[in-house]
């Protein structure tokens, strides 16, 4: 299989050269300027679609690394934290704190639950191994969140 350098020129309507040359296989038929121009324009159209998508993905992953959180932005889905947060508020998470104190507002994800819980810590405890657990409650709720915890859990850790 042999290759050679074959000069091609694609000239736009205003007589500017769009592509100066390319490598082609010797056995391929010569492609006319119109088919090459269509291929170039199609490639540019595909890049116009892919660029915003890939940029958004890279910004999301960069924000994930910066905040040390796989979900750096969450949306409040209930009124349980009113007047601190209202439904629809967006929260930027920061996961670089080693421990949590009463008054902090963690975002808690339980296994097999579709949405996070954004509530304030009302009590913290630490067991003999150093594992910290805490009890959370919504500012707009009368009771703590033990009834919302899965299974027989009485705290979040």
């Amino acid at each position: 299989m042999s290759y050679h350098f074959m000069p091609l020129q694609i000239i736009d309507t205003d007589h500017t050269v769009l592509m100066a040359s390319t490598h082609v296989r010797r056995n391929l038929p010569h492609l006319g300027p119109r088919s090459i121009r269509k291929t170039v324009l199609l490639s540019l159209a595909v890049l116009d679609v892919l660029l915003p998508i890939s940029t958004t993905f890279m910004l999301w992953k960069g924000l994930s690394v910066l905040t040390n959180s796989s979900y750096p932005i969450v949306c409040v889905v209930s009124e349980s934290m009113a007047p601190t947060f209202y439904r629809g508020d967006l929260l930027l998470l920061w996961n670089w704190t080693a421990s949590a104190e009463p008054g902090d507002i963690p975002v808690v994800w339980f296994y097999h639950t579709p949405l996070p819980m954004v509530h304030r810590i009302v009590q913290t405890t630490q067991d003999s191994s150093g594992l910290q657990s805490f009890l959370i409650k919504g500012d707009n709720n009368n009771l703590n969140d033990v009834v919302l915890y899965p299974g027989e859990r009485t705290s979040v850790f």
Side-chain angles (χ1 to χ4, degrees), residues 36-91:
I36 296 290
R37 184 167 190 258
K38 286 180 181 179
T39 303
V40 169
L41 292 176
L42 179 63
S43 299
L44 291 174
V46 168
L47 286 175
D48 282 344
V49 171
L50 292 179
L51 186 63
I53 294 170
S54 62
T55 301
T56 303
F57 178 74
M58 288 186 297
L59 287 172
W60 181 264
K61 285 302 176 184
L63 193 57
S64 294
V65 170
L66 180 69
T67 61
N68 194 29
S69 174
S70 46
Y71 296 97
I73 299 173
V74 295
C75 182
V76 177
V77 295
S78 73
E79 296 291 332
S80 64
M81 281 298 290
T84 307
F85 302 124
Y86 293 97
R87 182 188 313 250
D89 286 352
L90 294 177
L91 306 178

Side-chain angles (χ1 to χ4, degrees), residues 9-30:
Q9 285 190 342
I10 300 172
I11 300 176
D12 204 356
T13 54
D14 63 347
H15 303 290
T16 57
V17 176
L18 294 177
M19 183 167 46
S21 62
T22 184
H23 290 279
V24 294
R25 246 175 83 186
R26 179 176 292 195
N27 299 334
L28 290 177
H30 177 70

Side-chain angles (χ1 to χ4, degrees), residues 134-152:
F134 44 89
L135 180 64
I136 58 177
K137 174 185 167 302
D139 289 354
N140 201 22
N141 294 346
N142 293 328
L143 302 172
N144 62 35
D145 293 343
V146 173
V147 296
L148 301 175
Y149 298 163
E152 300 294 319

Side-chain angles (χ1 to χ4, degrees), residues 78-146:
S78 73
E79 296 291 332
S80 64
M81 281 298 290
T84 307
F85 302 124
Y86 293 97
R87 182 188 313 250
D89 286 352
L90 294 177
L91 306 178
L92 178 64
L93 305 183
W94 187 259
N95 198 22
W96 289 103
T97 309
S99 63
E101 303 298 326
D104 291 347
I105 303 173
V107 176
V108 179
W109 287 80
F110 291 113
Y111 191 67
H112 290 302
T113 57
L115 299 172
M117 188 182 305
V118 180
H119 287 169
R120 190 177 306 275
I121 296 175
V122 292
Q123 178 185 358
T124 61
T125 57
Q126 197 164 5
D127 65 8
S128 59
S129 66
L131 180 66
Q132 184 182 27
S133 61
F134 44 89
L135 180 64
I136 58 177
K137 174 185 167 302
D139 289 354
N140 201 22
N141 294 346
N142 293 328
L143 302 172
N144 62 35
D145 293 343
V146 173

